Amino acid sequence: MPLLDVRNLSVEFKTADGLFKAVDGIDVQVDVGDVLAIVGESGSGKSVSMLALMGLLPWTAVVTADYMTFDGIDLATCTARQRRAIVGKDVSMIFQEPMSSLNPCFTIGFQIREALKAHLPLSRSQRQLRAVELLEQVGLPEPERRLRAYPHQLSGGMCQRVMIAMAIACKPKLLIADEPTTALDVTIQAQILELLLDLQKDTGMALVLITHDMGVVAETAQRVSVQYAGQKVEEQDVEALFANAHHPYTDALLAALPERASSKLLPSIPGVVPGQFDRPAGCLFSPRCAHADDVCRSTSPKSASQELGLARCHYPLQQGVPLRGDV
Amino acid sequence: MNETLIDARQLSRHYDVSNGFFGGSSTVKALSEASFTLQAGKTLAVVGESGCGKSTLARVVTMIESPTSGELILEGHRIHGDEAMSDEQKANLRASVQIVFQDPFGSLNPRQTIGRILEEPVLINRPDVSKSDRQQQARDMLSMVGLRPEHYDRYPHMFSGGQRQRIAVARALMLNPRILVLDEPVSALDLSIQSQILNLLVELQERLNLAYLFISHDLSVVKHMADDVMVMYLGRVVESGSSEEVFGAPRHPYTQALLSATPVADPTRTQTRIRLQGELPSPLNPPKGCAFNPRCWKAEARCRTEAPSISGEDTHPVACFFPL
């Protein structure tokens, strides 16, 4: 049984202009020890789907799912108290902006010990010891002194290390990292990604990495799920995805990477991601797709077989060529 | 032979920072002794992490700030120093150096229509242009950057990030500049939009023979766009050369570390990553000797006491005692 099993998750927001579907029927399965990357552009619902799991969405959100379990506990029906016991302990999350996700009014020592106090039966001195140990684990020099520092006294990279220390404080089974390195410089990004992967190997936790950077995906993930406009359009192992993308969106996205370009002009995807009011009928990618025909524009596609990367497309690609008729 | 549009010699920009009432003041050397040239139709990329002086360089080149020392020669006109030009001449020259900022959401006035945004530079710098000519120029510019004429009367909030960046490029081009400073022009955009804007920039460069000073931290974008590359660390140029030379055979340890730290979208690639220890030092209190020595794996005693100056081959100079 997978550690995290979510089927047909949808999230709708009540807005002044009616319901907006931010996440549309997403399946996520994560096993113990998995490194899953969720890739998508802004507005593809990758953060919202994970926030929905954690129960961190505002009241305007309506979350529905056929099935949403973590480690045997049904997250859809459990009480708020039960959820609080899991969140921060067995599932924890790291956010994009390390500087703004730490509370500026408290020392980082206080904030790390707070996480321990909420979930573990440790005494005050044990908590202090554990906090020092955690900072050592994430590679911050002089941990005792750092514990007394406030977030503004640390750099962005150090703050992100503190966030990671807080997230792994209770030895979670699943760590969700939401764009953990987007706000950081490349050399610091390399350090943080390496740290996350080392921790993942050492503790055997599952890691879900939300990102928009294909380079980060290629270097860290085992499995990749590609999202577009709130839908999962493809899921494959990382090597297979980069070698043979089955959904035209993934294919176009990879072709648009400057490092894969063969000429000065990049192959680009025309148009923009559909918003609340211009969601097309049929396949959501059809207005921008190079292979779309009338079927694509009228009926919404089902996911293809496992061999075709579960591509949500009428004509999944095989080595860049759409398969027509026989699928 | 292409005309040299920017000739920067030993450009420096230092800021005095107060350390509080009793602290006196100290100097932040945001930019030290940067020298480079840029020809028409070429792209010079400036690469480095945050705090390395990329944006200060952009501000000096666009004449938003004047350098504390050094010479800047734009299109053959000396801007600072002994034979400095009058303010009026400077204003004229300013029109030929334009800038596109990183964040297309912050750099457009939300209360102006696109037409108004595009016409404003002309209104200010060329007041003798008639209203109808001005409007025609703005409409022509819209079609040049791939927007539609009906966008003329709309407001910035009605556009997506990519379209706004097109507007920002259009605004920069309204005065027919010859140099465009692009300060992280695509880093706020999604991947599928990024390629549209990069293509637009390539097309415009070919059409108008523009010189680009392309500031970016994304090495894959730089590799795609740049003819020449300049790598900066803590306000100093540590390596410069043609794109092939710098990416193919980096000579400064920092460049090498930067290249190896950049994730490459190829899962089959075997990683040989150089692990850089620590972080960028504070520019208020830079390390003695070579600024990179605390993080460098090749540093020796000499690096800790003496700062290397940029030297070496003419085409590919490097600021390191032990270049690779």
Side-chain angles (χ1 to χ4, degrees):
Chain A
M1 193 182 76
L3 180 66
L4 177 72
D5 195 356
V6 178
R7 299 284 165 83
N8 198 16
L9 171 72
S10 294
V11 180
E12 286 175 311
F13 286 97
K14 288 176 191 152
T15 68
D17 306 298
L19 283 179
F20 171 56
K21 212 166 204 180
V23 178
D24 187 359
I26 278 180
D27 300 340
V28 188
Q29 272 114 38
V30 184
D31 285 312
V32 178
D34 255 1
V35 182
L36 170 73
I38 301 180
V39 197
E41 298 177 87
S42 42
S44 63
K46 51 195 194 305
S47 296
V48 172
S49 55
M50 287 301 126
L51 288 171
L53 287 182
M54 302 280 284
L56 294 177
L57 289 173
W59 62 271
T60 48
V62 184
V63 180
T64 52
D66 291 354
Y67 198 73
M68 187 154 76
T69 61
F70 172 76
D71 206 14
I73 302 157
D74 190 350
L75 292 173
T77 54
C78 71
T79 62
R81 185 185 288 271
Q82 280 173 313
R83 188 193 288 275
R84 282 201 300 274
I86 303 169
V87 169
K89 182 167 186 290
D90 294 330
V91 197
S92 55
M93 194 157 177
I94 305 168
F95 301 94
Q96 177 171 359
E97 280 282 333
M99 298 302 245
S100 52
S101 30
L102 288 169
N103 189 331
C105 305
F106 297 98
T107 63
I108 62 164
F110 178 88
Q111 296 182 55
I112 294 176
R113 289 192 298 264
E114 190 183 23
L116 293 167
K117 195 175 174 183
H119 293 293
L120 299 177
L122 295 176
S123 71
R124 181 187 281 262
S125 57
Q126 282 171 320
R127 287 200 293 270
Q128 172 69 16
L129 281 178
R130 174 81 181 132
V132 172
E133 190 183 303
L134 282 165
L135 286 196
E136 272 169 1
Q137 208 177 346
V138 296
L140 269 187
E142 303 176 77
E144 282 92 350
R145 197 167 67 86
R146 294 286 181 222
L147 282 176
R148 288 193 298 274
Y150 287 89
H152 74 269
Q153 295 169 312
L154 305 180
S155 69
M158 289 204 260
C159 280
Q160 195 58 288
R161 284 173 195 269
V162 172
M163 286 298 296
I164 294 172
M166 279 166 74
I168 62 166
C170 306
K171 301 200 172 93
K173 294 173 183 153
L174 173 67
L175 179 63
I176 301 169
D178 185 357
E179 306 253 8
T181 57
T182 308
L184 306 176
D185 283 321
V186 258
T187 55
I188 310 297
Q189 161 169 299
Q191 292 173 2
I192 296 287
L193 289 177
E194 210 154 290
L195 170 66
L196 281 173
L197 286 181
D198 285 347
L199 287 170
Q200 189 270 332
K201 267 188 216 106
D202 293 347
T203 59
M205 65 183 176
L207 181 63
V208 174
L209 190 70
I210 301 174
T211 181
H212 66 271
D213 187 334
M214 282 293 181
V216 170
V217 173
E219 300 213 342
T220 51
Q222 296 162 1
R223 211 150 45 84
V224 188
S225 152
V226 184
Q227 292 195 7
Y228 181 76
Q231 292 181 338
K232 181 164 92 178
V233 295
E234 177 160 6
E235 182 170 331
Q236 282 204 72
D237 282 341
V238 65
E239 282 96 5
L241 184 94
F242 280 85
N244 185 8
H246 293 305
H247 195 280
Y249 172 65
T250 322
D251 194 52
L253 208 55
L254 289 174
L257 288 171
E259 59 216 72
R260 291 189 156 213
S262 49
S263 69
K264 193 80 181 165
L265 284 187
L266 297 167
S268 66
I269 310 177
V272 292
V273 181
Q276 182 177 0
F277 305 110
D278 53 359
R279 278 173 94 83
C283 172
L284 291 179
F285 187 58
S286 60
R288 306 176 73 190
C289 183
H291 309 292
D293 62 10
D294 289 340
V295 180
C296 302
R297 283 183 273 271
S298 55
T299 44
S300 146
K302 297 256 182 310
S303 288
S305 62
Q306 189 78 44
E307 296 83 66
L308 289 170
L310 307 169
R312 196 185 261 262
C313 180
H314 290 297
Y315 311 113
L317 301 179
Q318 188 62 263
Q319 297 298 349
V321 183
L323 296 173
R324 293 194 192 260
D326 52 340
V327 186
Chain B
M1 182 62 202
N2 274 319
E3 186 192 347
T4 300
L5 294 180
I6 305 182
D7 186 358
R9 295 178 191 162
Q10 305 284 313
L11 273 188
S12 299
R13 173 73 216 186
H14 298 173
Y15 297 97
D16 286 326
V17 189
S18 156
N19 291 345
F21 191 70
F22 298 109
S25 71
S26 48
T27 311
V28 175
K29 295 181 176 169
L31 183 68
S32 302
E33 294 161 26
S35 303
F36 59 93
T37 58
L38 177 59
Q39 280 85 30
K42 295 283 179 192
T43 304
L44 171 68
V46 184
V47 186
E49 297 178 274
S50 50
C52 75
K54 304 182 296 243
S55 296
T56 307
L57 182 69
R59 295 171 72 88
V60 171
V61 169
T62 48
M63 291 183 273
I64 295 172
E65 288 187 30
S66 51
T68 24
S69 66
E71 279 183 350
L72 178 66
I73 301 169
L74 290 177
E75 298 182 14
H77 305 283
R78 194 176 298 260
I79 312 287
H80 310 282
D82 303 334
E83 308 145 49
M85 53 205 316
S86 68
D87 285 351
E88 198 182 337
Q89 284 173 306
K90 267 189 203 167
N92 286 330
L93 205 52
R94 248 183 211 126
S96 71
V97 190
Q98 293 291 322
I99 185 165
V100 176
F101 294 99
Q102 171 174 11
D103 180 11
F105 293 86
S107 61
L108 300 176
N109 187 340
R111 296 174 57 155
Q112 291 182 335
T113 62
I114 303 311
R116 168 87 200 160
I117 288 173
L118 294 186
E119 284 169 30
E120 197 165 24
V122 183
L123 202 62
I124 293 166
N125 287 286
R126 314 245 161 89
D128 45 330
V129 174
S130 76
K131 190 176 178 186
S132 59
D133 283 355
R134 213 164 56 219
Q135 289 182 345
Q136 192 51 46
Q137 276 180 30
R139 285 177 203 275
D140 291 347
M141 191 55 73
L142 279 177
S143 69
M144 179 132 93
V145 298
L147 293 168
R148 288 197 295 275
E150 65 260 32
H151 291 149
Y152 183 87
D153 292 314
R154 297 197 187 158
Y155 286 90
H157 74 265
M158 300 156 101
F159 293 91
S160 65
Q163 284 175 314
R164 282 188 219 204
Q165 203 59 303
R166 283 176 197 269
I167 295 165
V169 172
R171 175 176 61 182
L173 291 176
M174 279 305 282
L175 294 170
N176 307 316
R178 308 187 60 194
I179 305 163
L180 212 53
V181 176
L182 302 160
D183 191 355
E184 306 258 8
V186 292
S187 58
L189 304 175
D190 277 322
L191 187 57
S192 70
I193 309 298
Q194 172 180 308
S195 55
Q196 295 174 8
I197 298 295
L198 290 179
N199 284 349
L200 172 71
L201 291 173
V202 169
E203 281 164 17
L204 288 172
Q205 184 170 43
E206 275 170 14
R207 216 153 121 191
L208 307 171
N209 201 26
L210 292 166
Y212 287 157
L213 185 69
F214 193 94
I215 297 173
S216 180
H217 67 272
D218 187 336
L219 290 178
S220 59
V221 171
V222 167
K223 200 171 176 178
H224 178 74
M225 293 289 290
D227 298 302
D228 295 300
V229 179
M230 190 159 86
V231 184
M232 293 183 69
Y233 188 77
L234 218 63
R236 284 183 178 275
V237 179
V238 295
E239 179 166 1
S240 66
S242 73
S243 179
E244 296 83 42
E245 282 173 325
V246 173
F247 285 103
R251 299 184 68 207
H252 197 282
Y254 176 65
T255 315
Q256 216 180 34
L258 204 61
L259 283 173
S260 82
T262 306
V264 175
D266 181 5
T268 54
R269 193 184 74 126
T270 47
Q271 291 187 14
T272 44
R273 178 167 289 163
I274 299 163
R275 296 183 76 156
L276 268 194
Q277 298 299 318
E279 312 196 359
L280 203 73
S282 157
L284 261 176
N285 186 17
K288 244 176 105 92
C290 171
F292 187 56
N293 85 65
R295 301 175 76 189
C296 185
W297 68 100
K298 297 191 73 175
E300 291 181 21
R302 189 179 173 200
C303 304
R304 290 184 195 96
T305 50
E306 224 182 303
S309 59
I310 186 152
S311 60
E313 308 156 38
D314 284 350
T315 57
H316 190 181
V318 60
C320 184
F321 292 125
F322 310 104
L324 302 152

